[in-house]
Amino acid sequence: MSDTVVVGLDVGGTSTRATALTLTGDRLGTGRAGGGNPTSHGAERAAAELLTALRAALADVDPTRVAAGTIGLAGAARILADPAGRAAFDRAWHDAGLRCPYAVHGDALVAYASGAAEPDGTVLIAGTGAITAQVVDLRLDRVADGHGWLLGDAGSGFWLGREAVRRLLADLDAGHTPGALSTAVLTELMGSADIAARPRDTVDATIQAVTRRPPVELARLAPLVVTAATDGEPVATTLIAEAAAHLASSVSRIRATGAATPVVLGGGLLTADTPLATAVRAEIGRHWPHAPLRTAGDGAAAAAWLAARELPEVTDPATLHARLFPAP
């Protein structure tokens, strides 16, 4: 068993990370590459980034020692349903020297596994977008939100950015002097906090500045909301409370009242020490007071753990998980 290795990959839109582990939890290598999500980058480019990360993680490992692997990525169902995309991933796997099988799972399952070893629970992710998933027997079951910026992702970074701009526009329409958050948003979008003698001119210019860019880029304004809320700015504080309520509502769509299984929080807005993370923890605690509340960790290590637990040599996956993700 000591010679057996598993590999895990956490494939995102901005980065791809790989980890090689022994079945006792020793990390033999890690790799990092650019964004490898096939939905946003195309299968060929995604596979190329996957190969780069794999080669780095296996630089000091004989690939023939690898017995299993897991790839976690958003939109896993798409790559599994696309023969060309799956073929590109198969080639990357083979070019890395690997001959073992690999599984593809959604990033929500990998995020859950990075925070909990229990087979059943819930994962709530809030970053640029937002999604909630129920996990049953370490498989994704029901899912809520994750509907994208146009139709959902309530409480996400995109949602916070859009709502901050809407508050700015409302202030300008009403002729109010913008508060600290609206001033920061105006400066970020326009390069200046100056308001034209005719405020509608600033409204129009702001709208143009937003619509000239891809809508999802509104998420870059979320840190302004977080910072303002940390400072106690009233509008930002209200937005954080509304976002937390939206996120808790998405959990309530698929999680039973009184459930005591773990809830894992993932995504940059919930894993960092942010006012939104604090507010969401309070909401979850109020709705599910008996649920252990966990924070997502290393997704690549979690993917490797998912691969390891399928091997007959691993008789105690919970102990391996505890070694990979020690309690704080």
Side-chain angles (χ1 to χ4, degrees):
M1 186 173 94
S2 59
D3 289 336
T4 302
V5 177
V6 289
V7 295
L9 291 107
D10 184 17
V11 181
T14 58
S15 68
T16 299
R17 293 181 301 114
T19 294
L21 302 173
T22 68
L23 298 189
T24 54
D26 294 323
R27 298 173 191 250
L28 303 179
T30 61
R32 190 179 185 99
N37 190 295
T39 301
S40 51
H41 299 298
E44 292 296 334
R45 177 180 165 189
E49 300 295 347
L50 183 145
L51 177 58
T52 298
L54 271 177
R55 282 176 168 162
L58 297 171
D60 297 318
V61 178
D62 179 354
T64 63
R65 293 174 59 193
V66 179
T70 294
I71 299 172
L73 77 163
R78 297 189 193 99
I79 197 70
L80 292 173
D82 175 19
R86 186 59 188 255
F89 273 42
D90 286 347
R91 286 194 300 273
W93 197 258
H94 187 274
D95 289 348
L98 298 170
R99 300 298 181 263
C100 62
Y102 67 91
V104 179
H105 292 301
D107 58 342
L109 178 63
V110 170
Y112 175 82
S114 73
E118 293 88 337
D120 301 336
T122 307
V123 59
L124 168 61
I125 300 173
T128 299
I131 190 170
T132 301
Q134 193 72 6
V135 175
V136 177
D137 195 23
L138 281 175
R139 295 289 185 271
L140 291 182
D141 187 32
R142 299 176 62 197
V143 176
D145 208 345
H147 299 152
W149 64 266
L150 182 60
L151 299 175
D153 288 358
S156 67
F158 168 84
W159 185 92
L160 285 171
R162 183 192 64 191
E163 292 303 307
V165 176
R166 293 179 67 185
R167 299 308 198 274
L168 165 63
L169 297 178
D171 283 343
L172 294 173
D173 283 346
H176 296 158
T177 301
L181 175 60
S182 291
T183 298
V185 169
L186 182 61
T187 302
E188 175 67 22
L189 292 173
M190 305 300 298
S192 168
D194 294 340
I195 299 173
R198 181 175 176 269
R200 186 66 194 186
D201 293 339
T202 301
V203 168
D204 292 340
T206 300
I207 293 171
Q208 290 176 18
V210 169
T211 55
R212 278 198 300 263
R213 298 183 177 186
V216 74
E217 286 197 18
L218 283 172
R220 79 184 196 278
L221 302 175
L224 300 181
V225 181
V226 170
T227 298
T230 300
D231 294 338
E233 204 273 349
V235 174
T237 300
T238 298
L239 289 181
I240 290 294
E242 291 178 7
H246 280 304
L247 293 170
S249 176
S250 75
V251 176
S252 68
R253 295 180 207 170
I254 59 173
R255 183 177 171 88
T257 302
T261 54
V263 176
V264 175
L265 303 181
L269 287 172
L270 300 183
T271 55
D273 182 16
T274 68
L276 182 57
T278 300
V280 166
R281 286 177 174 274
E283 287 282 342
I284 298 298
R286 183 166 63 86
H287 287 87
W288 297 278
H290 303 296
L293 196 53
R294 314 271 177 75
T295 301
D298 183 344
W305 177 76
L306 287 170
R309 67 183 300 276
E310 299 297 329
L311 297 176
E313 303 99 306
V314 179
T315 58
D316 188 3
T319 297
L320 175 58
H321 191 280
R323 181 168 184 186
L324 291 172
F325 305 100

